[in-house]
PDB file of all heavy atoms in Angstrom:
ATOM      1  N   ALA A 315      97.298  79.583 101.156  1.00  0.00           N
ATOM      2  CA  ALA A 315      96.147  80.126 100.499  1.00  0.00           C
ATOM      3  C   ALA A 315      94.858  79.457 100.917  1.00  0.00           C
ATOM      4  O   ALA A 315      93.811  80.230 101.084  1.00  0.00           O
ATOM      5  CB  ALA A 315      96.256  80.009  99.006  1.00  0.00           C
ATOM      6  N   GLY A 316      94.863  78.180 101.021  1.00  0.00           N
ATOM      7  CA  GLY A 316      93.647  77.514 101.540  1.00  0.00           C
ATOM      8  C   GLY A 316      93.240  77.996 102.932  1.00  0.00           C
ATOM      9  O   GLY A 316      92.054  78.150 103.165  1.00  0.00           O
ATOM     10  N   ILE A 317      94.262  78.072 103.831  1.00  0.00           N
ATOM     11  CA  ILE A 317      94.001  78.513 105.167  1.00  0.00           C
ATOM     12  C   ILE A 317      93.360  79.933 105.193  1.00  0.00           C
ATOM     13  O   ILE A 317      92.442  80.300 105.787  1.00  0.00           O
ATOM     14  CB  ILE A 317      95.196  78.458 106.091  1.00  0.00           C
ATOM     15  CG1 ILE A 317      95.582  77.040 106.272  1.00  0.00           C
ATOM     16  CG2 ILE A 317      95.035  79.089 107.399  1.00  0.00           C
ATOM     17  CD1 ILE A 317      96.886  76.868 106.976  1.00  0.00           C
ATOM     18  N   ALA A 318      93.862  80.820 104.415  1.00  0.00           N
ATOM     19  CA  ALA A 318      93.460  82.261 104.284  1.00  0.00           C
ATOM     20  C   ALA A 318      92.074  82.260 103.667  1.00  0.00           C
ATOM     21  O   ALA A 318      91.193  83.009 104.103  1.00  0.00           O
ATOM     22  CB  ALA A 318      94.433  83.022 103.302  1.00  0.00           C
ATOM     23  N   GLY A 319      91.727  81.336 102.719  1.00  0.00           N
ATOM     24  CA  GLY A 319      90.409  81.300 102.240  1.00  0.00           C
ATOM     25  C   GLY A 319      89.346  80.788 103.331  1.00  0.00           C
ATOM     26  O   GLY A 319      88.345  81.376 103.469  1.00  0.00           O
ATOM     27  N   ALA A 320      89.831  79.884 104.199  1.00  0.00           N
ATOM     28  CA  ALA A 320      88.969  79.434 105.243  1.00  0.00           C
ATOM     29  C   ALA A 320      88.789  80.614 106.284  1.00  0.00           C
ATOM     30  O   ALA A 320      87.675  80.755 106.848  1.00  0.00           O
ATOM     31  CB  ALA A 320      89.565  78.144 105.981  1.00  0.00           C
ATOM     32  N   GLY A 321      89.852  81.350 106.517  1.00  0.00           N
ATOM     33  CA  GLY A 321      89.703  82.472 107.439  1.00  0.00           C
ATOM     34  C   GLY A 321      88.678  83.565 106.939  1.00  0.00           C
ATOM     35  O   GLY A 321      87.920  84.025 107.688  1.00  0.00           O
ATOM     36  N   LEU A 322      88.730  83.669 105.522  1.00  0.00           N
ATOM     37  CA  LEU A 322      87.779  84.723 104.978  1.00  0.00           C
ATOM     38  C   LEU A 322      86.396  84.079 105.090  1.00  0.00           C
ATOM     39  O   LEU A 322      85.562  84.921 105.324  1.00  0.00           O
ATOM     40  CB  LEU A 322      88.160  84.919 103.401  1.00  0.00           C
ATOM     41  CG  LEU A 322      87.274  85.714 102.650  1.00  0.00           C
ATOM     42  CD1 LEU A 322      87.093  87.114 103.383  1.00  0.00           C
ATOM     43  CD2 LEU A 322      87.886  85.851 101.212  1.00  0.00           C
ATOM     44  N   ALA A 323      86.233  82.851 104.855  1.00  0.00           N
ATOM     45  CA  ALA A 323      84.896  82.344 105.004  1.00  0.00           C
ATOM     46  C   ALA A 323      84.360  82.545 106.373  1.00  0.00           C
ATOM     47  O   ALA A 323      83.168  82.771 106.564  1.00  0.00           O
ATOM     48  CB  ALA A 323      84.898  80.798 104.580  1.00  0.00           C
ATOM     49  N   LEU A 324      85.210  82.235 107.358  1.00  0.00           N
ATOM     50  CA  LEU A 324      84.673  82.302 108.775  1.00  0.00           C
ATOM     51  C   LEU A 324      84.310  83.783 109.109  1.00  0.00           C
ATOM     52  O   LEU A 324      83.314  84.036 109.772  1.00  0.00           O
ATOM     53  CB  LEU A 324      85.790  81.803 109.680  1.00  0.00           C
ATOM     54  CG  LEU A 324      86.060  80.370 109.689  1.00  0.00           C
ATOM     55  CD1 LEU A 324      87.191  79.956 110.597  1.00  0.00           C
ATOM     56  CD2 LEU A 324      84.839  79.536 110.231  1.00  0.00           C
ATOM     57  N   ALA A 325      85.053  84.785 108.593  1.00  0.00           N
ATOM     58  CA  ALA A 325      84.790  86.150 108.835  1.00  0.00           C
ATOM     59  C   ALA A 325      83.412  86.542 108.284  1.00  0.00           C
ATOM     60  O   ALA A 325      82.596  87.118 108.944  1.00  0.00           O
ATOM     61  CB  ALA A 325      85.941  87.030 108.377  1.00  0.00           C
ATOM     62  N   VAL A 326      83.248  86.145 106.954  1.00  0.00           N
ATOM     63  CA  VAL A 326      81.939  86.456 106.346  1.00  0.00           C
ATOM     64  C   VAL A 326      80.753  85.736 107.043  1.00  0.00           C
ATOM     65  O   VAL A 326      79.690  86.204 107.006  1.00  0.00           O
ATOM     66  CB  VAL A 326      81.950  86.193 104.872  1.00  0.00           C
ATOM     67  CG1 VAL A 326      80.782  86.351 104.135  1.00  0.00           C
ATOM     68  CG2 VAL A 326      83.089  87.076 104.191  1.00  0.00           C
ATOM     69  N   LEU A 327      80.988  84.463 107.391  1.00  0.00           N
ATOM     70  CA  LEU A 327      80.013  83.649 108.085  1.00  0.00           C
ATOM     71  C   LEU A 327      79.574  84.254 109.426  1.00  0.00           C
ATOM     72  O   LEU A 327      78.496  83.909 110.008  1.00  0.00           O
ATOM     73  CB  LEU A 327      80.341  82.182 108.083  1.00  0.00           C
ATOM     74  CG  LEU A 327      80.323  81.447 106.853  1.00  0.00           C
ATOM     75  CD1 LEU A 327      80.981  80.121 106.921  1.00  0.00           C
ATOM     76  CD2 LEU A 327      78.829  81.279 106.318  1.00  0.00           C
ATOM     77  N   ALA A 328      80.448  85.096 109.948  1.00  0.00           N
ATOM     78  CA  ALA A 328      80.183  85.697 111.288  1.00  0.00           C
ATOM     79  C   ALA A 328      79.331  86.983 110.992  1.00  0.00           C
ATOM     80  O   ALA A 328      78.333  87.221 111.785  1.00  0.00           O
ATOM     81  CB  ALA A 328      81.478  86.156 112.087  1.00  0.00           C
ATOM     82  N   LYS A 329      79.589  87.655 109.993  1.00  0.00           N
ATOM     83  CA  LYS A 329      78.786  88.926 109.639  1.00  0.00           C
ATOM     84  C   LYS A 329      79.044  89.289 108.208  1.00  0.00           C
ATOM     85  O   LYS A 329      80.113  89.247 107.723  1.00  0.00           O
ATOM     86  CB  LYS A 329      79.180  90.083 110.681  1.00  0.00           C
ATOM     87  CG  LYS A 329      78.086  91.068 110.711  1.00  0.00           C
ATOM     88  CD  LYS A 329      78.230  91.879 111.950  1.00  0.00           C
ATOM     89  CE  LYS A 329      76.907  92.764 112.054  1.00  0.00           C
ATOM     90  NZ  LYS A 329      76.880  93.403 113.344  1.00  0.00           N
ATOM     91  N   PHE A 330      77.994  89.772 107.538  1.00  0.00           N
ATOM     92  CA  PHE A 330      78.042  90.222 106.128  1.00  0.00           C
ATOM     93  C   PHE A 330      79.051  91.324 105.923  1.00  0.00           C
ATOM     94  O   PHE A 330      79.491  91.445 104.790  1.00  0.00           O
ATOM     95  CB  PHE A 330      76.668  90.561 105.568  1.00  0.00           C
ATOM     96  CG  PHE A 330      75.658  89.389 105.374  1.00  0.00           C
ATOM     97  CD1 PHE A 330      74.323  89.512 105.689  1.00  0.00           C
ATOM     98  CD2 PHE A 330      76.187  88.180 104.830  1.00  0.00           C
ATOM     99  CE1 PHE A 330      73.508  88.473 105.523  1.00  0.00           C
ATOM    100  CE2 PHE A 330      75.271  87.132 104.556  1.00  0.00           C
ATOM    101  CZ  PHE A 330      74.015  87.326 104.818  1.00  0.00           C
ATOM    102  N   SER A 331      79.313  92.077 106.972  1.00  0.00           N
ATOM    103  CA  SER A 331      80.205  93.245 106.784  1.00  0.00           C
ATOM    104  C   SER A 331      81.512  92.883 106.183  1.00  0.00           C
ATOM    105  O   SER A 331      82.062  93.626 105.454  1.00  0.00           O
ATOM    106  CB  SER A 331      80.417  93.836 108.194  1.00  0.00           C
ATOM    107  OG  SER A 331      79.132  94.186 108.848  1.00  0.00           O
ATOM    108  N   TRP A 332      82.040  91.658 106.559  1.00  0.00           N
ATOM    109  CA  TRP A 332      83.334  91.336 106.068  1.00  0.00           C
ATOM    110  C   TRP A 332      83.277  90.862 104.587  1.00  0.00           C
ATOM    111  O   TRP A 332      84.362  90.477 104.131  1.00  0.00           O
ATOM    112  CB  TRP A 332      83.964  90.288 106.911  1.00  0.00           C
ATOM    113  CG  TRP A 332      84.454  90.861 108.205  1.00  0.00           C
ATOM    114  CD1 TRP A 332      84.157  90.296 109.456  1.00  0.00           C
ATOM    115  CD2 TRP A 332      85.363  91.922 108.475  1.00  0.00           C
ATOM    116  NE1 TRP A 332      84.821  90.922 110.433  1.00  0.00           N
ATOM    117  CE2 TRP A 332      85.449  91.966 109.867  1.00  0.00           C
ATOM    118  CE3 TRP A 332      85.994  92.731 107.620  1.00  0.00           C
ATOM    119  CZ2 TRP A 332      86.267  93.049 110.492  1.00  0.00           C
ATOM    120  CZ3 TRP A 332      86.742  93.809 108.253  1.00  0.00           C
ATOM    121  CH2 TRP A 332      86.872  93.751 109.579  1.00  0.00           C
ATOM    122  N   LEU A 333      82.248  91.056 103.889  1.00  0.00           N
ATOM    123  CA  LEU A 333      82.278  90.778 102.416  1.00  0.00           C
ATOM    124  C   LEU A 333      83.140  91.751 101.756  1.00  0.00           C
ATOM    125  O   LEU A 333      83.683  91.484 100.738  1.00  0.00           O
ATOM    126  CB  LEU A 333      80.809  90.923 101.931  1.00  0.00           C
ATOM    127  CG  LEU A 333      79.858  89.678 102.068  1.00  0.00           C
ATOM    128  CD1 LEU A 333      78.513  90.139 101.657  1.00  0.00           C
ATOM    129  CD2 LEU A 333      80.343  88.515 101.194  1.00  0.00           C
ATOM    130  N   VAL A 334      83.442  92.870 102.363  1.00  0.00           N
ATOM    131  CA  VAL A 334      84.402  93.799 101.797  1.00  0.00           C
ATOM    132  C   VAL A 334      85.683  93.225 101.541  1.00  0.00           C
ATOM    133  O   VAL A 334      86.589  93.673 100.726  1.00  0.00           O
ATOM    134  CB  VAL A 334      84.584  95.113 102.684  1.00  0.00           C
ATOM    135  CG1 VAL A 334      83.261  95.764 102.718  1.00  0.00           C
ATOM    136  CG2 VAL A 334      85.124  94.796 104.029  1.00  0.00           C
ATOM    137  N   LEU A 335      86.134  92.194 102.321  1.00  0.00           N
ATOM    138  CA  LEU A 335      87.357  91.482 102.145  1.00  0.00           C
ATOM    139  C   LEU A 335      87.515  90.827 100.817  1.00  0.00           C
ATOM    140  O   LEU A 335      88.618  90.654 100.326  1.00  0.00           O
ATOM    141  CB  LEU A 335      87.719  90.470 103.278  1.00  0.00           C
ATOM    142  CG  LEU A 335      87.607  91.152 104.693  1.00  0.00           C
ATOM    143  CD1 LEU A 335      87.914  90.054 105.785  1.00  0.00           C
ATOM    144  CD2 LEU A 335      88.698  92.187 104.817  1.00  0.00           C
ATOM    145  N   PHE A 336      86.425  90.362 100.262  1.00  0.00           N
ATOM    146  CA  PHE A 336      86.537  89.739  98.863  1.00  0.00           C
ATOM    147  C   PHE A 336      87.125  90.774  97.888  1.00  0.00           C
ATOM    148  O   PHE A 336      87.687  90.324  96.848  1.00  0.00           O
ATOM    149  CB  PHE A 336      85.107  89.276  98.392  1.00  0.00           C
ATOM    150  CG  PHE A 336      84.817  87.941  98.900  1.00  0.00           C
ATOM    151  CD1 PHE A 336      83.971  87.707  99.986  1.00  0.00           C
ATOM    152  CD2 PHE A 336      85.245  86.788  98.311  1.00  0.00           C
ATOM    153  CE1 PHE A 336      83.661  86.381 100.458  1.00  0.00           C
ATOM    154  CE2 PHE A 336      85.015  85.481  98.753  1.00  0.00           C
ATOM    155  CZ  PHE A 336      84.216  85.345  99.834  1.00  0.00           C
ATOM    156  N   GLY A 337      86.841  92.072  98.072  1.00  0.00           N
ATOM    157  CA  GLY A 337      87.393  93.013  97.225  1.00  0.00           C
ATOM    158  C   GLY A 337      88.795  93.528  97.643  1.00  0.00           C
ATOM    159  O   GLY A 337      89.643  93.727  96.766  1.00  0.00           O
ATOM    160  N   LEU A 338      88.962  93.602  98.978  1.00  0.00           N
ATOM    161  CA  LEU A 338      90.145  94.187  99.479  1.00  0.00           C
ATOM    162  C   LEU A 338      91.401  93.224  99.357  1.00  0.00           C
ATOM    163  O   LEU A 338      92.407  93.725  99.091  1.00  0.00           O
ATOM    164  CB  LEU A 338      89.940  94.607 100.981  1.00  0.00           C
ATOM    165  CG  LEU A 338      89.145  95.853 101.184  1.00  0.00           C
ATOM    166  CD1 LEU A 338      88.886  96.011 102.735  1.00  0.00           C
ATOM    167  CD2 LEU A 338      89.665  97.117 100.629  1.00  0.00           C
ATOM    168  N   TRP A 339      91.111  91.951  99.569  1.00  0.00           N
ATOM    169  CA  TRP A 339      92.256  91.100  99.568  1.00  0.00           C
ATOM    170  C   TRP A 339      92.951  90.996  98.151  1.00  0.00           C
ATOM    171  O   TRP A 339      94.149  91.206  98.132  1.00  0.00           O
ATOM    172  CB  TRP A 339      91.967  89.650 100.031  1.00  0.00           C
ATOM    173  CG  TRP A 339      91.645  89.341 101.319  1.00  0.00           C
ATOM    174  CD1 TRP A 339      91.215  88.273 101.995  1.00  0.00           C
ATOM    175  CD2 TRP A 339      91.951  90.206 102.558  1.00  0.00           C
ATOM    176  NE1 TRP A 339      91.064  88.290 103.356  1.00  0.00           N
ATOM    177  CE2 TRP A 339      91.621  89.558 103.732  1.00  0.00           C
ATOM    178  CE3 TRP A 339      92.560  91.531 102.634  1.00  0.00           C
ATOM    179  CZ2 TRP A 339      91.800  90.048 105.047  1.00  0.00           C
ATOM    180  CZ3 TRP A 339      92.581  92.087 103.949  1.00  0.00           C
ATOM    181  CH2 TRP A 339      92.220  91.252 105.065  1.00  0.00           C
ATOM    182  N   PRO A 340      92.214  90.880  97.003  1.00  0.00           N
ATOM    183  CA  PRO A 340      92.963  90.829  95.781  1.00  0.00           C
ATOM    184  C   PRO A 340      93.612  92.339  95.591  1.00  0.00           C
ATOM    185  O   PRO A 340      94.684  92.253  94.980  1.00  0.00           O
ATOM    186  CB  PRO A 340      91.763  90.642  94.784  1.00  0.00           C
ATOM    187  CG  PRO A 340      90.718  89.862  95.514  1.00  0.00           C
ATOM    188  CD  PRO A 340      90.850  90.412  96.961  1.00  0.00           C
ATOM    189  N   LEU A 341      92.903  93.363  95.999  1.00  0.00           N
ATOM    190  CA  LEU A 341      93.549  94.670  95.734  1.00  0.00           C
ATOM    191  C   LEU A 341      94.823  94.863  96.600  1.00  0.00           C
ATOM    192  O   LEU A 341      95.857  95.350  96.020  1.00  0.00           O
ATOM    193  CB  LEU A 341      92.471  95.798  96.154  1.00  0.00           C
ATOM    194  CG  LEU A 341      92.894  97.205  96.071  1.00  0.00           C
ATOM    195  CD1 LEU A 341      93.275  97.603  94.583  1.00  0.00           C
ATOM    196  CD2 LEU A 341      91.818  98.136  96.565  1.00  0.00           C
ATOM    197  N   LEU A 342      94.732  94.388  97.809  1.00  0.00           N
ATOM    198  CA  LEU A 342      96.001  94.495  98.588  1.00  0.00           C
ATOM    199  C   LEU A 342      97.112  93.552  98.031  1.00  0.00           C
ATOM    200  O   LEU A 342      98.365  93.912  97.970  1.00  0.00           O
ATOM    201  CB  LEU A 342      95.711  94.117  99.998  1.00  0.00           C
ATOM    202  CG  LEU A 342      94.962  95.193 100.839  1.00  0.00           C
ATOM    203  CD1 LEU A 342      94.558  94.600 102.155  1.00  0.00           C
ATOM    204  CD2 LEU A 342      95.816  96.370 101.107  1.00  0.00           C
ATOM    205  N   TRP A 343      96.844  92.458  97.492  1.00  0.00           N
ATOM    206  CA  TRP A 343      97.799  91.581  96.905  1.00  0.00           C
ATOM    207  C   TRP A 343      98.435  92.270  95.672  1.00  0.00           C
ATOM    208  O   TRP A 343      99.593  92.255  95.487  1.00  0.00           O
ATOM    209  CB  TRP A 343      97.135  90.261  96.511  1.00  0.00           C
ATOM    210  CG  TRP A 343      97.995  89.373  95.705  1.00  0.00           C
ATOM    211  CD1 TRP A 343      99.226  88.705  96.050  1.00  0.00           C
ATOM    212  CD2 TRP A 343      97.918  89.204  94.202  1.00  0.00           C
ATOM    213  NE1 TRP A 343      99.730  88.090  94.885  1.00  0.00           N
ATOM    214  CE2 TRP A 343      99.009  88.252  93.863  1.00  0.00           C
ATOM    215  CE3 TRP A 343      96.951  89.569  93.319  1.00  0.00           C
ATOM    216  CZ2 TRP A 343      99.091  87.919  92.508  1.00  0.00           C
ATOM    217  CZ3 TRP A 343      97.188  89.055  92.036  1.00  0.00           C
ATOM    218  CH2 TRP A 343      98.166  88.261  91.575  1.00  0.00           C
ATOM    219  N   ILE A 344      97.576  92.896  94.918  1.00  0.00           N
ATOM    220  CA  ILE A 344      98.102  93.660  93.693  1.00  0.00           C
ATOM    221  C   ILE A 344      99.084  94.715  94.133  1.00  0.00           C
ATOM    222  O   ILE A 344     100.039  94.991  93.527  1.00  0.00           O
ATOM    223  CB  ILE A 344      96.997  94.127  92.830  1.00  0.00           C
ATOM    224  CG1 ILE A 344      96.208  93.048  92.182  1.00  0.00           C
ATOM    225  CG2 ILE A 344      97.512  95.165  91.792  1.00  0.00           C
ATOM    226  CD1 ILE A 344      94.983  93.425  91.447  1.00  0.00           C
ATOM    227  N   LEU A 345      98.650  95.560  95.223  1.00  0.00           N
ATOM    228  CA  LEU A 345      99.535  96.493  95.642  1.00  0.00           C
ATOM    229  C   LEU A 345     100.833  96.015  96.161  1.00  0.00           C
ATOM    230  O   LEU A 345     101.816  96.704  96.032  1.00  0.00           O
ATOM    231  CB  LEU A 345      98.774  97.303  96.732  1.00  0.00           C
ATOM    232  CG  LEU A 345      97.566  98.120  96.271  1.00  0.00           C
ATOM    233  CD1 LEU A 345      96.850  98.812  97.497  1.00  0.00           C
ATOM    234  CD2 LEU A 345      97.938  99.156  95.265  1.00  0.00           C
ATOM    235  N   VAL A 346     100.808  94.880  96.782  1.00  0.00           N
ATOM    236  CA  VAL A 346     102.010  94.325  97.308  1.00  0.00           C
ATOM    237  C   VAL A 346     102.937  93.874  96.106  1.00  0.00           C
ATOM    238  O   VAL A 346     104.118  94.012  96.228  1.00  0.00           O
ATOM    239  CB  VAL A 346     101.715  93.027  98.200  1.00  0.00           C
ATOM    240  CG1 VAL A 346     102.983  92.277  98.424  1.00  0.00           C
ATOM    241  CG2 VAL A 346     101.115  93.431  99.539  1.00  0.00           C
ATOM    242  N   ILE A 347     102.294  93.297  95.110  1.00  0.00           N
ATOM    243  CA  ILE A 347     103.024  92.928  93.931  1.00  0.00           C
ATOM    244  C   ILE A 347     103.764  94.106  93.326  1.00  0.00           C
ATOM    245  O   ILE A 347     105.002  94.143  92.973  1.00  0.00           O
ATOM    246  CB  ILE A 347     102.130  92.308  92.908  1.00  0.00           C
ATOM    247  CG1 ILE A 347     101.674  90.914  93.327  1.00  0.00           C
ATOM    248  CG2 ILE A 347     102.822  92.133  91.562  1.00  0.00           C
ATOM    249  CD1 ILE A 347     102.652  89.857  93.480  1.00  0.00           C
TER     250      ILE A 347
END
């Protein structure tokens, strides 16, 4: 989980576009559950 958090931070720090992942990752996790 920590590594995934670091990966998310790097993506967002490259470009604001990947802020969508803050909403998509929890949603995808719920769908997997």
